Amino acid sequence: MASPSLESQASGAERVSRRRRGSTWDALLYAHDALTIAFSVSDIVLDILVTIKFAQDGHVGFFIASCCIFAVAQASYALIFTSSFASHLSDGKRLLVFLAALPLAQLIPLFSWVESLHWPSLALAMRAIGLQPSAQVCPASGDSLWLVFRAKFAAHSGFLAEAVLEAVPQCVLQTAHIMWTGDYSPLAITSIFLSVIVIVTKGWVVSFSLHRPTLALNSLCVAGDVFGLFATVCWIFSRDAGNLDARDEAALGFLLTPPFLRSAAGVLSASLAVAAAALLATSLVLLGFGLCEDSLCHRRRHEPPTHAFDKLLVCPAVWMLAQLPAVVILASIRLSLLPILLFRSLDAEHAIHSSFYRPLFRYLAHGAESTPQDTGGVQASPHISPI
């Protein structure tokens, strides 16, 4: 039998070890935050510099496209800020908050991360100007890594929006410019490199799994989609792609084809124009049906109808701003359908009830030999190490 002094020393050593592991984990999380902020801010600055270079080099089309991407991202950030912190205000005040946030909208992702720290002084300042701080999410039961993912998603929501709204479109545009003009400037290469890092490092959002090898596979699927998108852009806009083979004139009606459709870039541009028009028309019809359905539901339930401000301004604005991220996601997602649809990585069921599913996954993966000793068939051991 061990003496009480030895037991107290062992328990003290275990507490010290846990504190060290906790401090190391916290340091890694803060390092991840610092790298995310540094990459995102650097990517925005380089995108602005590349846009200025487009204008200086006389590439007006690329300059206008880049400015349009910035404008959509700017308005989307301001709309996200208004819906997150000013949804309780009246219609007029919400409009004022949106207009006030619009000039500084590029800083909203950084502000969202700072606000997620829930500093009391910042919360008091926000309440003083009429804004409502976000609610602090209390830790829930579940897989430890999933809890980290959940907290990071709340803190990095602005950076996730930046990746979809700005990093992907700007990176595709800059890649097309390089392949089209052959201008391999260090500024453009660095900007594309940073954008790819910003995009790939957001793959953890759809990658969670209790089975850690599956988590790694999910992350690789997202990275594969990202690099596949840019590989496609490089192929389409490469000057080596050339025109369609003239030997296939009879089969393709080459002589009757308009000149702008005789290249891969022309065919892609025409296809994108048709797809964008179809998406625009479909989403517009769905918007109209949604507004009508909302009015009918309120009328049948004898509830006050939706304000005209939401119907005439907010809903159309959200619809217009959603076109860019919708196109980005639809154009990018391929292998990522595997974790989303097959492995159900966005479903929190496994993570919340990890104490039940982890032993089950372990049994399915390794068989009965790796399961704990017989517990009477009533309850699995809670000390099973994660897989």
Side-chain angles (χ1 to χ4, degrees):
M1 182 176 179
S3 63
S5 59
L6 292 177
E7 291 181 355
S8 61
Q9 290 177 3
S11 61
E14 184 178 358
R15 286 195 298 269
V16 171
S17 177
R18 287 180 179 178
R19 282 198 297 267
R20 287 178 178 176
R21 288 197 299 267
S23 60
T24 303
W25 182 248
D26 290 340
L28 291 175
L29 293 180
Y30 283 120
H32 175 261
D33 289 345
L35 288 175
T36 300
I37 295 171
F39 283 137
S40 297
V41 173
S42 301
D43 182 47
I44 293 174
V45 172
L46 288 177
D47 286 342
I48 294 174
L49 295 177
V50 171
T51 302
I52 296 174
K53 190 175 184 300
F54 286 161
Q56 293 175 346
D57 294 343
H59 300 148
V60 180
F62 288 99
F63 172 74
I64 294 175
S66 183
C67 289
C68 290
I69 293 172
F70 275 120
V72 172
Q74 196 92 350
S76 300
Y77 297 151
L79 188 62
I80 292 172
F81 179 85
T82 304
S83 61
S84 300
F85 305 114
S87 58
H88 62 290
L89 299 178
S90 62
D91 298 340
K93 291 182 178 180
R94 278 190 292 163
L95 183 59
L96 289 177
V97 170
F98 174 82
L99 295 177
L102 192 59
L104 302 175
Q106 291 291 335
L107 299 177
I108 288 177
L110 181 59
F111 175 82
S112 298
W113 175 78
V114 174
E115 196 276 335
S116 69
L117 300 177
H118 299 287
W119 291 342
S121 57
L122 179 60
L124 290 175
M126 292 178 65
R127 291 190 178 95
I129 60 177
L131 299 179
Q132 182 65 39
S134 62
Q136 188 168 4
V137 180
C138 297
S141 60
D143 182 74
S144 58
L145 186 59
W146 178 76
L147 295 177
V148 173
F149 276 27
R150 182 184 177 189
K152 287 298 178 184
F153 182 83
H156 292 190
S157 57
F159 298 121
L160 297 174
E162 188 265 336
V164 176
L165 292 167
E166 194 169 331
V168 175
Q170 290 285 6
C171 192
V172 169
L173 181 67
Q174 293 166 15
T175 304
H177 174 265
I178 287 179
M179 301 306 299
W180 190 256
T181 63
D183 182 15
Y184 296 91
S185 64
L187 177 62
I189 296 296
T190 306
S191 178
I192 292 174
F193 179 72
L194 274 180
S195 296
V196 170
I197 292 178
V198 168
I199 299 164
V200 171
T201 52
K202 303 301 184 293
W204 56 266
V205 176
V206 296
S207 300
F208 176 77
S209 175
L210 282 178
H211 188 239
R212 301 316 187 212
T214 303
L215 187 150
L217 174 63
N218 295 344
S219 301
L220 290 176
C221 288
V222 176
D225 276 346
V226 172
F227 287 105
L229 173 65
F230 294 113
T232 303
V233 172
C234 291
W235 175 77
I236 291 296
F237 288 95
S238 174
R239 290 186 176 273
D240 295 335
N243 294 335
L244 297 175
D245 193 349
R247 291 175 295 180
D248 297 332
E249 293 178 3
L252 302 177
F254 186 78
L255 296 177
L256 300 178
T257 305
F260 70 91
L261 291 179
R262 295 183 183 179
S263 65
V267 173
L268 176 67
S269 301
S271 302
L272 289 178
V274 173
L279 178 64
L280 188 66
T282 304
S283 58
L284 184 60
V285 171
L286 291 177
L287 174 65
F289 274 115
L291 293 177
C292 293
E293 189 267 344
D294 180 67
S295 300
L296 290 175
C297 288
H298 283 293
R299 182 174 299 179
R300 288 179 180 178
R301 297 171 183 171
H302 302 288
E303 297 176 350
T306 306
H307 294 298
F309 179 81
D310 294 331
K311 285 185 178 180
L312 300 179
L313 186 60
V314 176
C315 289
V318 172
W319 169 77
M320 287 189 294
L321 295 176
Q323 302 304 310
L324 179 61
V327 170
V328 168
I329 293 174
L330 290 176
S332 305
I333 190 168
R334 293 293 182 273
L335 295 175
S336 300
L337 293 174
L338 186 65
I340 295 175
L341 299 182
L342 182 60
F343 298 143
R344 307 293 296 272
S345 59
L346 298 180
D347 189 356
E349 173 70 17
H350 291 167
I352 295 175
H353 303 288
S354 60
S355 59
F356 170 78
Y357 283 106
R358 186 180 287 114
L360 178 61
F361 288 168
R362 187 179 183 88
Y363 173 78
L364 294 176
H366 304 289
E369 303 132 357
S370 61
T371 58
Q373 298 296 328
D374 182 50
T375 56
V378 178
Q379 184 179 4
S381 172
H383 302 293
I384 299 175
S385 60
I387 56 175

